[in-house]
């Protein structure tokens, strides 16, 4: 059987082909699944999608009509999938419920340190043989307060690094993580965390309850010299509200690996296009803002785990097994 995989990066393709070898053929496409590309999937029973795929009603209808029975998403997040429609159509949907949390946690710290120590500006200067230090002063993190929203596996890994820096630890989540408590984390309400933290990092999933969890009210209560990092989902931050605060000269730095309107932009070369997203265009002009294109997960370790789990999801589906990765259970069709 041949499996069709959408949104496969060039670095990811050999890992995909190696992982599926001996099980199935896999056809890797660099285009992302959306309403325009969904017809390509006609005749394929198993479809693998990336985090920026669009799996709305129309796309799912097209996939089902073309003979798809399994959607194996290569990510933990699934806010891009209309699960109710998938279930109504009899589609099985699986995701990757776990992969290396260190990839994302370490990258979140990379963003935090880069904006704190003005690394991008310093690098750009030295390329022009400008070796001045003016405007490059950062701050020690030791003794300062970090606020971690979401203390699951990634949040815990991020917290362990913060503990290594010697920071005071504040956390917020619906349940406390004993490992974080053991490190000295104090769980507080969101309002206190936003008010007291010198560095805030987001590690919660995007759900109706967490959409714009960092909105205008939260941004206004943050310290003027705070650092904000988001390596989870773009919709956690009200970007227009963030731009408004940045225009007032607030925040030491903002590191964003995700953006709430990234679909159709991230993972693509838009360097020769006119980007019509005025909010993003304004955001990247701020000297204290660093935007990367959803690459926090992108290590050979994490991607290999994601692909291996995707292979397991396919094999489980064919064998009629259900694991914790299945979001919409549906019996395999012969």
């Amino acid at each position: 059987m041949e499996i069709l995989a959408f949104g496969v990066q060039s670095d990811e393709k050999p890992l995909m082909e190696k992982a599926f070898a001996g099980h199935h053929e896999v056809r890797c496409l660099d285009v992302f699944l959306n309403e325009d590309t969904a017809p390509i999937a006609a005749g394929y029973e198993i479809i693998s999608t990336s985090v920026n795929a669009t799996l709305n009603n129309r796309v799912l209808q097209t996939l089902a009509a073309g003979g798809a029975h399994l959607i194996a998403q290569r990510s933990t997040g699934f806010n891009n999938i209309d699960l109710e429609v998938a279930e109504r159509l009899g589609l099985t949907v699986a995701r990757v419920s776990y992969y290396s949390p260190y990839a994302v946690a370490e990258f979140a710290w990379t963003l935090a340190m880069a904006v704190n120590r003005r690394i991008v500006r310093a690098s750009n200067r030295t390329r022009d043989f400008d070796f001045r230090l003016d405007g490059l002063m950062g701050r020690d993190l030791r003794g300062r307060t970090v606020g971690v929203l979401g203390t699951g596996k990634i949040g815990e890994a991020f917290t362990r690094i913060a503990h290594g820096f010697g920071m005071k630890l504040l956390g917020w989540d619906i349940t406390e993580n004993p490992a974080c408590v053991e490190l000295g984390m104090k769980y507080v309400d969101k309002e206190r965390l936003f008010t007291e933290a010198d560095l805030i990092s987001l590690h919660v999933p995007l759900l109706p309850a967490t959409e714009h969890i960092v909105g205008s009210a939260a941004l206004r209560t943050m310290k003027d010299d705070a650092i904000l990092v988001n390596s989870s989902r773009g919709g956690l931050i009200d970007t227009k509200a963030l731009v408004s605060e940045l225009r007032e000269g607030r925040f030491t730095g903002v590191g964003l690996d995700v953006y709430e309107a990234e679909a159709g932009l991230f993972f693509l070369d838009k360097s020769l296009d006119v980007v019509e997203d005025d909010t993003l265009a304004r955001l990247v002009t701020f000297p204290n803002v660093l935007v990367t294109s959803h690459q926090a997960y992108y290590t050979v370790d994490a991607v290999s785990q994601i692909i291996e789990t995707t292979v397991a999801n396919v094999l489980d589906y064919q064998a009629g097994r259900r694991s914790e990765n299945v979001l919409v259970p549906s019996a395999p069709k012969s």
Side-chain angles (χ1 to χ4, degrees), residues 58-211:
R58 290 186 61 182
V59 171
L60 292 171
Q61 291 276 5
T62 301
L63 295 180
H69 296 321
L70 171 66
I71 296 170
Q73 175 136 305
R74 304 187 308 279
S75 72
T76 298
F78 53 91
N79 54 285
N80 60 319
I81 308 173
D82 192 326
L83 298 180
E84 292 184 1
V85 172
E87 185 169 20
R88 188 171 70 246
L89 293 171
L91 296 169
T92 296
V93 180
R95 62 160 177 165
V96 177
S97 59
Y98 173 83
Y99 62 87
S100 169
Y102 311 107
V104 179
E106 290 170 5
F107 193 82
W109 271 108
T110 300
L111 290 175
M113 294 302 294
V115 296
N116 178 40
R117 301 305 301 269
R118 313 294 198 271
I119 297 300
V120 175
R121 181 184 293 181
S123 176
N124 289 338
R125 281 187 183 179
T126 55
R127 285 178 179 272
D128 293 330
F129 295 95
D130 179 352
F131 301 105
R132 294 171 300 154
L133 298 182
D134 297 346
L136 301 182
M137 185 175 288
R139 297 180 296 174
D140 288 4
L141 294 178
R142 180 176 178 82
R144 287 191 161 84
T145 301
V146 63
V148 185
L149 273 79
T151 55
K153 292 181 177 67
I154 297 174
E156 179 187 330
F158 183 90
T159 299
R160 290 188 182 280
I161 298 172
H163 181 262
F165 274 115
M167 302 186 76
K168 299 175 184 177
L169 310 174
L170 295 181
W172 177 86
D173 209 326
I174 55 175
T175 57
E176 296 185 3
N177 184 334
C180 292
V181 173
E182 187 176 344
L183 291 170
M185 174 171 280
K186 182 175 183 179
Y187 280 84
V188 297
D189 57 49
K190 296 192 299 295
E191 291 71 23
R192 178 176 172 184
L193 186 149
F194 285 124
T195 301
E196 297 184 9
D198 299 293
L199 165 61
I200 296 172
S201 190
L202 309 182
H203 300 288
V204 294
L206 179 60
L207 303 168
T210 60
E211 185 174 7

